[in-house]
Each structure stands twice: as structure tokens, then as C-alpha cells.
Amino acid sequence: MKKITDTEQIRAANRKQIIGALRTHGPLARVELCDITGLSPATVTAITSDLFSVGFLKETSGTAEGNQGRGRPKVNIDLNPEAAFVIGIQPSVNELAFVLGDLKGNIRENHTVSIQLDRLDEAQFITLVIDGINDFIAFSGVDRNRVASIGIAMQGPVDSATGTITWSPALSIQNVPICEALESRFNIPVSIANDSDIVALALRHLNNYSHDSNLLTIVLGQGVGMGALINGQLYSGSRGAAAEFGHVKFNLEGPQCRCGGRGCIEAYAGDYALYRDAATIMHLPMSDNHRPSEEQMEQITAELKNGNEALQRIYDQAGRVLGLGMANLITLLDPERVIVTGRGVRGYEFMEAEANRAMKDALLPSHTPDIVESFEWTGDLISTGTIHLGLEKSD
Amino acid sequence: MKKITDTEQIRAANRKQIIGALRTHGPLARVELCDITGLSPATVTAITSDLFSVGFLKETSGTAEGNQGRGRPKVNIDLNPEAAFVIGIQPSVNELAFVLGDLKGNIRENHTVSIQLDRLDEAQFITLVIDGINDFIAFSGVDRNRVASIGIAMQGPVDSATGTITWSPALSIQNVPICEALESRFNIPVSIANDSDIVALALRHLNNYSHDSNLLTIVLGQGVGMGALINGQLYSGSRGAAAEFGHVKFNLEGPQCRCGGRGCIEAYAGDYALYRDAATIMHLPMSDNHRPSEEQMEQITAELKNGNEALQRIYDQAGRVLGLGMANLITLLDPERVIVTGRGVRGYEFMEAEANRAMKDALLPSHTPDIVESFEWTGDLISTGTIHLGLEKSD
């Protein structure tokens, strides 16, 4: 939690609140802005005046309904989407993707470059990203003076405080001070977050959860990630190493995990583990580097749909472990909602019955499994979240 | 997180920061107050002037060392401990305890009444507490106009937001709106918290942890409780039902828990469970109401000291489950520190080896069990925490 030191910071926080309310709710009358933010009319007027003067806001006429009455037509305040832009960067295995978002948080452009990132040293990687940003700005035709911030979504652990990539399956280099390098080149704020955190940010905005809610996002994929919003803020712990839900363990004699430990949740429910266990009982092609492809995973899901019982037992076990893990999350953190998503959610329907049974058995009467819901995966969640990560710095 | 709505709230937050710094660090020079709080000299001067005018502050001469030099003698600012008092109330099984704390957070008086609280209806209980407070004020001789707030420590779940006792082993009544009743009678703020949260507040102050740190306190006793400070604030979840560490489960076929579930951490490591398991293999007298007495638990600890191997195996298992639970807490929340305390910490030395082994096996390389430490139990932790709970409202 930030220390409240002076009027500047209050003003900045209020400004963020007003921009956030307009982004979530769309055009609003001044009185609605007061209601939603809890700010006084005087404060709203002062801050919106500032925001008008820099072009962030525009006036729109109210709804047709609002204008049917007599008297002055209703005037709403709206964000001017083109007043500022954010560039999102997503390095992943053999790919570097760019996305352009506007002040409203809409995705405006996408561009993906295929490249073997794991062959690059630090200087080459940073140069590639800088050149990529310049090309993308040129390609999208956006005024570069309006690019207000950059957000980076990274697979694997990052240190958000120092803006460093700790390590990533996409790269062979480690401890890369990427934010500093881009900030000194572009002179705008640059933020980085783990992709599970990015998904959590996207879901908060897509689903309009309360901005001070406790929202946990479980991201199924090769591993099992988690993004935790505590009191509406990304929670990363005292050393940036929190929310390692995939490495919660129940049984130290359980299956082998990639981390070196045994019995981790992802050693049951990660794609690599599901494929490994399936390959133990079925004829399946070797998976590359213990990273089964989307096609390989879909082949398994097709078998499940055909009613393969031995395979279903593997998913039942994954569901039980996932359910017990989510029950313990609810017991410890009492979140408003737990959302299961990620590429691996394609198989969640085959885990869900056992997950729900385990939650029912494991939860106290004061808790309920009904707060868990699944959310269909789309890559846009990463793009949207990356834009919102950037917007948090530029608002 | 509170919304920042206006200057009043900022001022209140800054005031809290200054009082908190003086309480933690003792007498400070103005320049030290600026350093510690990060507030500007102008803000510190404005707020300390206000605090002087209401008598909360006094000037003290600086250290002897500071005065040896030439020039103006150094003048420090200190809290005036007698400027305000807090009354703490601790209802427990067959007891109602009162404590008086001063503005510095020191315990000034203690008074305990023996009474069977579980025989009282709601009106009788509230009347008893009100009369008890009046008697305690008279008995302690404190000026009742200086009693600024009341804090209540409760065994069992409470709803801090509405100030209600949900239920407690000390009472037969449920959903008691105790804070409202006392506030309307005494016209001062009244706060309530679960006793595990109270212990966490006490440890934060006793041990001078950073006020924005993530500090988890495990409270061993009849059950296994947890107090969670997240970003320095008590965390109670979206419905006030978080931090139920004692009901985290690893094995749904584990031992029976009082909650109705199986395999909860407290079904291994709570006093009731340790005694129950010990009584299964040893000749031990029946424990009252499944609540073994302190003497009964000390009898077990004495046997452990004598090297009773069968009993040690029970404590080894409790240690393994506790260790796995703490490993998962660290994996999920990456706290600055985990403190194991509570009356049940008397037996922790016999669990510690297995707890450490489980943590070592279960933690990722990026985490360490070294952040876990035990803290000797003293009932003063509850008194101190209750005073600090009250002070949070009166500062």
C-alpha cells in the first residue's frame, strides 16, 4: 500500500479513479461520476477540468431518453480514446507479439513476429524489442507522442518492482532489466507482469468486478499459474514470489513436478503432466521438450469426449487436486470470486465434477464452491491485460 | 483499501502515521519524523501542532549525547501516554478480562472476572460487559473522558465490519452486535477482532515489523488459528471468513476435525487432536468437552521430554502437516515472516524438526523456510493486541 504523503498523490489517485470509472462504465454525467467514485462535486469538477485541458475527456450528448425531457439536454463525459495509447509486448516461445491499445482499453492493432527468442543474448533481445516497437508504431500509424506507456506480459517469474525478467521458457537469458532499457529509450513508463497476473487484470476489466475486490485467477496451461488481486491490487508478496498456486502440494510422494519437487498441483493438472500421464496408458507421439502442442492436447480432449475411461480417471485425479487446491485458497483468502481460465481450460469440463466434489468435501460450511467459475480462453485476455497494465501507469 | 475522497482523510492518515512512528520508535526529532514517515516538514509541523494542541504530544529534551554539543539543545517529540486510554475486553471460557492501555500502547491495568458467560442471554451479556467497563474505569481511577476507544478480542469468528460476534466457544449466544451496543452506551469507537488477528497486531508492534509488510501469525491452541497482515493491514477476505489456516486440508481421508470435515491441519495439530491421539495410545484422563486443560497438555509435553517415542510420532505427524501448511502459505503469499505462537507453542519444539523437513521438501528454490520463527506464548500478546486494535480507531 502506498504511503499517502501529499496532495499530489491524492490528486493522482483521484484522477485514476475518475479515468477508471469512465473506462468501466462508459460515458457518465458528472453526478454519476460523483456517485460511482465517492468524490465530492468540487473534486470531480477540478479533476475533469484538468483532464479536458489535456484532451483526455470529451463531452457527449446524453442518451436519447435523457434528451426527450424539457430543459437543458444532458451532457455526459467520456474518455477520448485517441488521447493516449499503450503498447503491449508479449514475448513467448518462438514469438514476439505487439498490441496497441487506446485510452479506453480497446485493442486497436495486433502484430506478431515469429522469431527464435531463445537464441538471443541480452543485448540482441533488447535491440529486437526496441526495433519491434519502432516498427509497430510506424506500422500502426499512431502518433508516437501519444504513446503514453508500455506493458510487458511475460511467461515465467518477473520482478515487477525492478522491471526485470527473472527467467522465462521463451528465453535462454535470465535477469533481464527490460523495463529500464525501454524506459531510457522511449522516456515513458514501462511495466512488466507475469502472464497470470496479466490475465487477472484483463478479467477484472472485462467482468467489471468491484475495484477493491479479492479476485483469484487460476491459469491452466503447460503449468498452473495464478493471478491474485487483493483489495483490487495485484499481489506479488514480499519478494515478488507469491501466487505460485501450481506448486502448492498435498502429498510429498505425489508425481514428479518440473520444479524438482513432487506432488505439486501442476504435476497433476498442467498440460505437460496430463500428457505425460496419458502417454503412460495410451499410444501417443512423444511431445517436444515436455511441452505438448495444442494439437496434442486437443487429441486428448477428443478422446475424453469419446468416453475413454482410463483417460477420464487421469482428469478426475487432476480435478480432485485442483479442487482441493481451490478449496484451500478459499479457506485462506475468502475471495469474492475464483476464475479458472488459460489455454488448459479446454479440458476443465472433464475435471469439473471431481473438482466440485473435492471443494464440497473440503470447505467449511461458511464457504461455498459457487464462487468458482470457468472462463473460456482467448489470447485477447493477454492483450487486454497487457494494455491495462500499461494504462495503470499512464492514467 | 479505503477510497481517498478528500483532504480530511489524508490528514487523518498522516496523523495516524505520525502517532504510529512515535509509538514504535519512541521520542523523535522533527527531522527524524519526516525521515521515518516520508512526510514533508510542512505536513509534519502542521499535524504535530494539532496534536500538541489536544495534548497528545509533549516535548522532551534530546539524548545526553545530543545535548553535549554546543548550540541549541536538541528537542524531541514524544507521545503523552496519559492523553488517551483504550479499554480492551477479552471474553473467554468462564472469564471476562479487562485491560487498560495508554496512548503509547503500554498495559496499565488488568482485571479478570470469573463468570460462566455461556449461561447468559444477549441482554445479560451486554449488560455484564457495560457494568464491567464502568467498574473497571472506577477501579483503575482513569478519567473516563480520556477513554478514547474500546477493543474486543474474541475466541471464534467475528464480523469485524458490522462489529458482531458470530459465535464463540465462550458463549452460548450467536450473532451478538456487541460493538453497536457499546458504542451507543459509551459514545466512543468500538472494534472487534478474532484473537488470532489480535495476536498478529501485537506481534507487529512488539517486533517492529515494517508497517506495510506481509506478516502471517499461526496461533496454536485448542484449534489452529491464523492472523494475516497483508500490506500491514488485517486481512479478513471478502466475507470476513479468511485465514482459516486450521481448516486447510491435504487429505480428505485424514483424521476427523471438529468442523465436521476430515484431514484439517487442526485435526492433527490442535490441542484437542494431539490429546485425542495421545489418549488413544496412552492412559490419559478424559478431557472435558474435548478441550484438554493446560495441565493435561503439559503432562503430554513432559512425556515427550522423557523421550516417549510413540508420542513423539504423533507430534512428528503434526509437525509434517503444519510444515506442509506453512510451505503452501509461503508458496501462495510470499510473506516477509511467519510466526508460530499461541498457547500450543509449548509443544512446537517437538514438531519443529518434521515441520522444517516438510517445508524444505515442499518449497520452491525461490522460497525459504528460514522466514518461519516461533514466539513464546504470553497472555500479554492478547492484551497488547487488543489495545492496539483500539488505538487503530482512536489515533
Side-chain angles (χ1 to χ4, degrees), chain A residues 74-87:
Chain A
K74 192 178 161 207
V75 174
N76 280 338
I77 297 176
D78 197 7
L79 288 176
N80 175 8
E82 315 235 323
F85 295 91
V86 171
I87 289 178

Side-chain angles (χ1 to χ4, degrees), chain B residues 19 71-72 136 141 173 246 319 387:
Chain B
I19 295 177
R72 249 179 15 167
F136 183 57
I173 48 177
I387 292 168

Side-chain angles (χ1 to χ4, degrees), chain B residues 117-337:
Chain B
L117 295 175
D118 59 357
R119 295 205 175 169
L120 307 180
D121 66 22
E122 184 174 308
Q124 290 170 327
F125 174 66
I126 289 173
T127 304
L128 178 83
V129 173
I130 289 174
D131 291 349
I133 292 171
N134 282 324
D135 290 351
F136 183 57
I137 290 174
F139 162 84
S140 65
V142 70
D143 174 359
R144 65 185 305 146
N145 294 318
R146 294 202 173 181
V147 177
S149 63
I150 295 172
I152 308 171
M154 206 66 214
Q155 297 181 309
V158 301
D159 183 338
S160 295
T162 62
T164 308
I165 302 165
T166 311
W167 70 265
S168 169
L171 304 175
S172 53
I173 48 177
Q174 299 191 353
N175 301 314
V176 186
I178 183 74
C179 292
E180 195 186 3
L182 299 186
E183 274 173 358
S184 71
R185 178 65 185 73
F186 294 101
N187 269 315
I188 51 178
V190 182
S191 312
I192 190 166
N194 171 275
D195 53 3
S196 298
D197 286 341
I198 294 280
V199 172
L201 283 179
L203 286 170
R204 180 176 70 182
H205 286 278
L206 284 180
N207 281 354
N208 293 353
Y209 292 106
S210 141
H211 269 226
D212 49 6
S213 73
N214 306 304
L215 184 67
L216 305 180
T217 304
I218 307 295
V219 185
L220 303 178
Q222 291 295 341
V224 176
M226 171 172 156
L229 291 162
I230 300 283
N231 297 327
Q233 303 296 310
L234 278 180
Y235 179 79
S236 60
S238 297
R239 295 159 199 81
E244 290 283 4
F245 178 72
H247 300 285
V248 162
K249 297 170 187 65
F250 309 121
N251 171 8
L252 296 174
E253 286 86 46
Q256 181 64 46
C257 182
R258 300 183 297 180
C259 74
R262 297 196 82 101
C264 301
I265 290 177
E266 70 171 53
Y268 295 90
D271 282 353
Y272 83 89
L274 292 164
Y275 193 85
R276 173 188 67 188
D277 289 359
T280 308
I281 59 164
M282 292 167 57
H283 179 70
L284 283 173
M286 285 280 284
S287 73
D288 229 30
N289 239 337
H290 302 294
R291 294 180 68 87
S293 66
E294 192 56 29
E295 292 67 37
Q296 288 174 318
M297 293 311 296
E298 278 167 7
Q299 192 185 340
I300 291 182
T301 333
E303 276 289 312
L304 287 163
K305 285 205 176 97
N306 285 337
N308 184 322
E309 287 184 18
L311 202 51
Q312 181 57 55
R313 281 200 292 277
I314 292 173
Y315 274 66
D316 283 346
Q317 179 62 44
R320 272 192 292 276
V321 169
L322 214 47
L324 191 52
M326 292 192 291
N328 287 339
L329 277 183
I330 295 170
T331 302
L332 287 170
L333 294 174
D334 184 29
E336 187 174 322
R337 199 154 293 279

Side-chain angles (χ1 to χ4, degrees), chain A residues 171-190:
Chain A
L171 304 175
S172 53
I173 48 177
Q174 300 192 352
N175 301 314
V176 187
I178 182 77
C179 291
E180 196 186 2
L182 300 186
E183 274 173 357
S184 70
R185 179 65 186 72
F186 293 101
N187 267 316
I188 51 177
V190 182

Side-chain angles (χ1 to χ4, degrees), chain A residues 3-5 10 14 17 37-38 214 235 238-244 249 328 331-336 362 367 371, chain B residues 3-5 10 14 17 37-38 214 235 238-244 248-249 328 331-336 362 367 371:
Chain A
K3 265 185 208 163
I4 298 156
T5 51
I10 311 310
N14 290 343
Q17 247 192 300
T37 59
N214 305 303
Y235 179 78
S238 297
R239 295 159 199 80
E244 288 284 6
K249 297 170 187 65
N328 287 340
T331 301
L332 288 170
L333 294 174
D334 183 29
E336 186 174 323
H367 291 129
I371 62 165
Chain B
K3 264 184 206 161
I4 298 157
T5 50
I10 311 312
N14 291 343
Q17 247 193 300
T37 59
N214 306 304
Y235 179 79
S238 297
R239 295 159 199 81
E244 290 283 4
V248 162
K249 297 170 187 65
N328 287 339
T331 302
L332 287 170
L333 294 174
D334 184 29
E336 187 174 322
H367 291 128
I371 62 164

